[in-house]
Amino acid sequence: MDVLLADQIRQCFGRVVYSHKTHEKMAEHCATTLRHLKIAQIVLSALATCGVLSLFVVDCPVAKAVAALMSFANLAVAGYMKGFDPGGVAQKHRDTAALLWNVRDSYQSLLVDLARGTLSAEAATVRRDELQTATARIYQAAPHTSNKAYTTAQHALKALEDFTFSDGEIDKFLPGSLRKGKDA
C-alpha cells in the first residue's frame, strides 16, 4: 500500500466528513431560523389584528400606535423573509450534504480497497482524482456555511461521535448471522 497516497486520501476523507456535517448543521440552523420567523409572523399578525379590532371598541391613541407598530413589524419580518429564504437555503444545504455523503462513503471505500490491496496505487490515484473533481463541483455550487455551523459540526464529530457507531449499535440492525457481538 502506498502510504503517502493513503495519507492524502485520509485527509481528503476528513475534509469531506467535516464539510458534510457542517452543511447538515447549517441546514438545521436555517430551518430553526425559518421556524422562528414564522412564529414571529403569527404572533405579530395576531397582535396587529387585536390592535386593529380594539380600535372599534376604544378610540385610544396608544392602541392605534401599538396596532401600527405591530403591523409594521409584521411587514418588516415578511420583507426580510422575501429577501432571505431560510427554507430554501436550508434545502440547498441538505442537498449539498446529501451529495457530500456519497463522496464521503466513496473515499472510505477507496481507503478500504487500498488497505486490502485490491486496488493498485495507479487505480487509486485515478479514483482519488475523480473524487476530488466531484468534490470541487459540489463545493462550487454549495451555499456558504458559517463558523458557528463548523464549530457545531466539530463538536458533533469530536465530542458526540456523530459519525461513529459501536459494534453493538450496528449489530442491532443486522441478523444474528452477521453480528459481531454475543448474539452471533
Side-chain angles (χ1 to χ4, degrees):
M1 175 171 66
D2 186 327
V3 176
L4 289 175
L5 180 61
D7 283 347
Q8 183 196 26
I9 292 170
R10 286 172 52 85
Q11 288 292 317
C12 293
F13 170 73
R15 284 191 294 272
V16 171
V17 167
Y18 265 84
S19 293
H20 168 260
K21 185 55 71 178
T22 301
H23 280 282
E24 280 187 341
K25 294 302 179 183
M26 197 69 199
E28 289 172 12
H29 171 72
C30 291
T32 299
T33 299
L34 176 63
R35 202 168 22 260
H36 290 157
L37 288 170
K38 289 197 175 279
I39 290 170
Q41 277 187 308
I42 292 167
V43 169
L44 290 170
S45 291
L47 291 173
T49 301
C50 288
V52 168
L53 291 176
S54 73
L55 295 177
F56 290 108
V57 177
V58 186
D59 185 21
C60 174
V62 174
K64 290 178 184 177
V66 169
L69 183 64
M70 292 301 116
S71 183
F72 178 76
N74 192 30
L75 178 65
V77 170
Y80 177 76
M81 287 182 64
K82 174 78 172 130
F84 171 64
D85 176 18
V89 174
Q91 188 58 52
K92 287 179 184 175
H93 284 291
R94 282 187 205 98
D95 293 345
T96 299
L99 292 170
L100 288 171
W101 179 282
N102 183 50
V103 172
R104 183 184 85 171
D105 284 355
S106 295
Y107 269 122
Q108 188 174 14
S109 296
L110 178 57
L111 286 167
V112 169
D113 291 345
L114 270 175
R116 291 181 63 217
T118 58
L119 201 60
S120 69
E122 294 77 22
T125 300
V126 169
R127 184 68 183 128
R128 178 215 52 206
D129 292 346
E130 292 169 353
L131 289 171
Q132 285 178 326
T133 299
T135 305
R137 267 191 246 112
I138 294 167
Y139 287 159
Q140 191 174 29
H144 292 286
T145 57
S146 68
N147 286 336
K148 182 180 178 184
Y150 179 81
T151 302
T152 306
Q154 187 177 43
H155 174 72
L157 290 168
K158 285 184 174 183
L160 304 178
E161 298 183 0
D162 256 12
F163 182 60
T164 59
F165 303 97
S166 69
D167 284 340
E169 288 174 309
I170 294 169
D171 281 348
K172 289 179 183 177
F173 302 125
L174 295 170
S177 62
L178 296 175
R179 294 181 182 174
K180 278 188 170 184
K182 296 176 185 172
D183 296 343

